[in-house]
Amino acid sequence: MTSSETTYRLDPSQAKKNVGRIRRFRVLVMGRANAGKTTILQRVCNTADQPEIFDAEGRMVHPPLPQNLAFDHIQRGHHNIEDELIFGSNSRFVFHDSCGFEAGSEAQFQKMKEFVMHHATTPNLQQRIHAIWFCIPLNESHRMVTAAESKFFEECDTGHVPVIVVLTKADALELDAWEELMDMELSEDEALRELAKVEREMCDRHFTKVKKWLQASRFPPHDFHITTGMQDEGADCTALIECTANALNEESLQKLLISTQQSSLGLCIEYAIMK
């Protein structure tokens, strides 16, 4: 083990003493373009607004865009993984977006890797990342796991920071399921009766395939979570928060994450009872 790998861990005793000083839960969001990342963040923060963007020094880089403009528009023109994305509806969350490395650039990949290593171990507790949400769309069966995504799970040891693979766009499989039924030369009435079943089976097949590939990696994810209904305003992300909390290895970080859930009183109560 190299010296860099040795220091790439959080001392549990130190974490227990100091984690109570952390005031915001910090998440690195990863995944290819159009994987539904921004939509998930909006649902987690219970908003339809776009985030404000701040640099590492706390200076505003870009104010929130109007709802009719896509957030990706900013990211294409200006992107820095160090930038903080904060939604006014819930400033207890700080997000970082890794977009760029999935295009295959070695320089971007190394920049992302250095960011993960630094922010997983920095002595500045307010700058540490606490979880990674890696978004992979289920509706892109022709490239379920890209080369860049495989490279991440083969080369990036995230240490104590759990990686949750968030499988997005499961709802979009309805069209694929319909086309599959049409290829079977069923009538429209017959296809409608079978549609939900075939869609579920297709989702299960894709999920099993992704899970098998990634679990065989050198650094497999800590857990997997399928999101549905994210296009609906007010969609419930409680299950994603719960999945993330269960992957954390420090109780105080679990409490910090659960405390961000302003709209999920049930989860807060359930967690309190469990503890």
Side-chain angles (χ1 to χ4, degrees):
M1 182 178 287
T2 66
S3 59
S4 62
E5 288 175 324
T6 303
T7 58
Y8 194 20
R9 300 289 174 197
L10 183 67
D11 183 335
S13 62
Q14 290 300 314
K16 200 170 187 67
K17 285 192 297 184
N18 298 316
V19 76
R21 293 160 47 196
I22 302 172
R23 294 290 174 262
R24 301 191 297 179
F25 195 85
R26 192 176 294 268
V27 181
L28 171 61
V29 185
M30 309 188 69
R32 67 193 79 159
N34 300 316
K37 294 177 289 184
T38 303
T39 301
I40 288 176
L41 303 189
Q42 288 173 320
R43 300 301 172 255
V44 165
C45 293
N46 195 30
T47 184
D49 295 335
Q50 303 289 350
E52 296 177 318
I53 306 178
F54 299 87
D55 65 17
E57 304 302 320
R59 296 183 293 259
M60 182 177 288
V61 174
H62 205 294
L65 286 175
Q67 290 186 19
N68 62 335
L69 291 179
F71 174 66
D72 288 345
H73 174 74
I74 315 176
Q75 295 296 73
R76 285 193 294 267
H78 171 89
H79 174 257
N80 187 334
I81 193 172
E82 294 282 351
D83 287 347
E84 299 180 344
L85 280 55
I86 300 176
F87 291 88
S89 61
N90 192 342
S91 59
R92 298 291 301 280
F93 273 112
V94 180
F95 299 106
H96 295 268
D97 188 350
S98 72
C99 73
F101 92 92
E102 70 271 12
S105 164
E106 182 63 26
Q108 288 290 341
F109 181 85
Q110 291 302 322
K111 185 175 181 180
M112 176 276 300
K113 190 174 179 180
E114 290 169 7
F115 173 88
V116 172
M117 295 181 67
H118 171 68
H119 284 270
T121 58
T122 175
N124 184 343
L125 297 180
Q126 304 302 326
Q127 295 299 317
R128 280 191 178 153
I129 56 172
H130 306 123
I132 297 173
W133 291 343
F134 203 120
C135 298
I136 297 178
L138 276 177
N139 67 325
E140 297 186 15
S141 57
H142 60 289
R143 54 168 195 161
M144 294 297 290
V145 178
T146 66
E149 291 162 352
S150 294
K151 184 179 175 70
F152 173 84
F153 289 103
E154 289 294 337
E155 298 185 20
C156 289
D157 178 4
T158 63
H160 67 280
V161 180
V163 180
I164 309 297
V165 169
V166 184
L167 297 160
T168 64
K169 302 197 173 182
D171 314 71
L173 291 173
E174 182 178 4
L175 179 58
D176 293 343
W178 181 259
E179 291 176 349
E180 184 175 300
L181 287 165
M182 289 295 97
D183 289 342
M184 296 167 62
E185 298 184 355
L186 299 179
S187 70
E188 287 196 8
D189 287 343
E190 290 172 324
L192 283 171
R193 286 196 294 269
E194 294 294 317
L195 183 60
K197 176 187 174 184
V198 172
E199 186 180 355
R200 284 195 303 271
E201 291 173 347
M202 189 175 288
C203 181
D204 290 343
R205 286 199 308 270
H206 293 349
F207 171 60
T208 300
K209 191 182 297 184
V210 171
K211 189 173 183 179
K212 181 179 179 181
W213 285 341
L214 295 184
Q215 284 186 325
S217 302
R218 185 182 177 196
F219 302 111
H222 291 71
D223 208 346
F224 297 81
H225 176 73
I226 299 177
T227 62
T228 56
M230 290 297 106
Q231 295 304 319
D232 301 331
E233 192 171 335
D236 186 8
C237 285
T238 299
L240 173 58
I241 298 300
E242 196 167 6
C243 177
T244 306
N246 290 337
L248 296 169
N249 62 0
E250 169 56 49
E251 184 177 334
S252 295
L253 284 179
Q254 292 177 325
K255 290 179 180 177
L256 175 64
L257 175 57
I258 297 299
S259 73
T260 64
Q261 295 310 287
Q262 302 166 338
S263 61
S264 183
L265 181 60
L267 179 59
C268 298
I269 293 173
E270 178 186 336
Y271 181 82
I273 293 173
M274 181 181 70
K275 289 303 176 184

